[in-house]
Amino acid sequence: MSEISTKPYLIRAIHQWCSDQGLTPYLSVVVDHRTLVPRQFVQDGQIVLNVSTDATQSLVMGNEMIAFQARFGGVAQNISLPVDNVSAIYARENGHGMAFEIGAGSFEEEADAGLDPEPGLPEPSASVEADAEPNPPKGGGRSHLKLVK
């Protein structure tokens, strides 16, 4: 029997901690062919998602996938992403959270292999407008995120 990763458990724990503290949990996700998100909100192969209970509907944080419904530009969208693609979870208000290495089959491995990870992704200079803040706030201090291997 293979060992189950601690990553989904840590993601759920930090999500719960943010919710208990009245903070807004954000997920930073590397987008590849397995990631179902509105492509017009992807920048530089990544997307930042507000996963608070106020911003999502039917949130399911499983060991393999995270799925929910959220509004982008006022339009409800189904979101589905592999836990392996989550690069960080943190509180919007103070940046406290955790960063992760991206798992096997990720965006970087597809790029290294010369594959186009997702045809039709917008250019990095594309502008993003969403109901929730798509990017984390700019802070002057050091990040509080820690890399977990």
Side-chain angles (χ1 to χ4, degrees), residues 7-8 11 14 28 34 45 47 53 70 73 81 88-89 118 133 144:
K7 186 174 182 178
I11 291 170
I14 294 172
S28 178
R34 303 172 299 158
I47 190 166
T53 54
L81 50 110
I89 181 168
E118 183 59 46
E133 294 178 41
H144 301 300

Side-chain angles (χ1 to χ4, degrees), residues 14-57:
I14 294 172
H15 181 273
Q16 183 66 49
W17 174 81
C18 286
S19 299
D20 289 350
Q21 297 298 311
L23 302 172
T24 310
Y26 273 17
L27 284 180
S28 178
V29 180
V30 173
V31 177
D32 66 10
H33 69 281
R34 303 172 299 158
T35 313
L36 177 62
V37 296
R39 299 298 186 200
Q40 66 269 31
F41 297 102
V42 174
Q43 289 185 333
D44 298 325
Q46 295 190 14
I47 190 166
V48 175
L49 301 165
N50 177 345
V51 289
S52 68
T53 54
D54 292 339
T56 63
Q57 224 177 359

Side-chain angles (χ1 to χ4, degrees), residues 7 11 27-30 66 81-89 100-102:
K7 186 174 182 178
I11 291 170
L27 284 180
S28 178
V29 180
V30 173
I66 297 172
L81 50 110
V83 168
D84 285 345
N85 287 36
V86 175
S87 60
I89 181 168
F100 304 98
E101 287 186 1
I102 302 303

Side-chain angles (χ1 to χ4, degrees), residues 102-138:
I102 302 303
S106 70
F107 180 84
E108 284 103 5
E109 289 176 358
E110 290 176 0
D112 289 345
L115 301 172
D116 184 7
E118 183 59 46
L121 283 180
E123 293 298 315
S125 62
S127 171
V128 174
E129 298 277 332
D131 290 344
E133 294 178 41
N135 294 319
K138 305 283 188 258

Side-chain angles (χ1 to χ4, degrees), residues 5 48 60 103:
S5 171
V48 175
V60 176

